[in-house]
Amino acid sequence: MLIEVIEKNNEKLQLGDIIAVNGNNELYMVIALRETLGEHVLVNIRNGYESLGSCKSLRHLEGDLKRRGYKLYSSDDYKLRLVPRE
């Protein structure tokens, strides 16, 4: 998977965003599990089941991420392309 950043406009956390957490070599996607848990979680993109915390709202999730440090790939500012491994 290749993340192609188109432009950098949106700094606000939203569903579908991809997050790279400082000190961690994994990428996570922000999803909502409102139907089951009523929470927002970060799910590991590579394996799809490992999560990195959960919060009742995106605002709380963003506050937790700010303490850890992160890089945001906003779903408004990127497109994903599947590319074969080299």
Side-chain angles (χ1 to χ4, degrees):
M1 177 175 46
L2 175 69
I3 299 173
E4 185 178 329
V5 179
I6 301 165
E7 55 187 88
K8 187 96 169 135
N9 290 327
N10 191 1
E11 297 292 327
K12 185 174 168 74
L13 195 63
Q14 58 190 3
L15 295 178
D17 286 353
I18 292 180
I19 304 292
V21 179
N22 290 354
N24 189 329
N25 291 330
E26 301 289 338
L27 291 175
Y28 297 88
M29 181 174 277
V30 179
I31 66 168
L33 297 176
R34 291 185 206 119
E35 298 80 22
T36 56
L37 299 173
E39 298 182 346
H40 295 83
V41 297
L42 294 175
V43 176
N44 189 309
I45 289 177
R46 185 182 330 164
N47 60 31
Y49 63 86
E50 174 193 356
S51 68
L52 186 68
S54 65
C55 293
K56 294 283 182 193
S57 71
L58 287 174
R59 186 174 54 87
H60 287 104
L61 183 59
E62 189 170 24
D64 185 47
L65 286 169
K66 283 183 180 177
R67 285 191 290 279
R68 297 177 190 215
Y70 70 101
K71 181 170 183 168
L72 171 67
Y73 296 98
S74 173
S75 58
D76 290 339
D77 296 339
Y78 71 81
K79 64 180 178 178
L80 295 178
R81 291 188 313 147
L82 296 178
V83 294
R85 290 185 184 184
E86 296 179 1

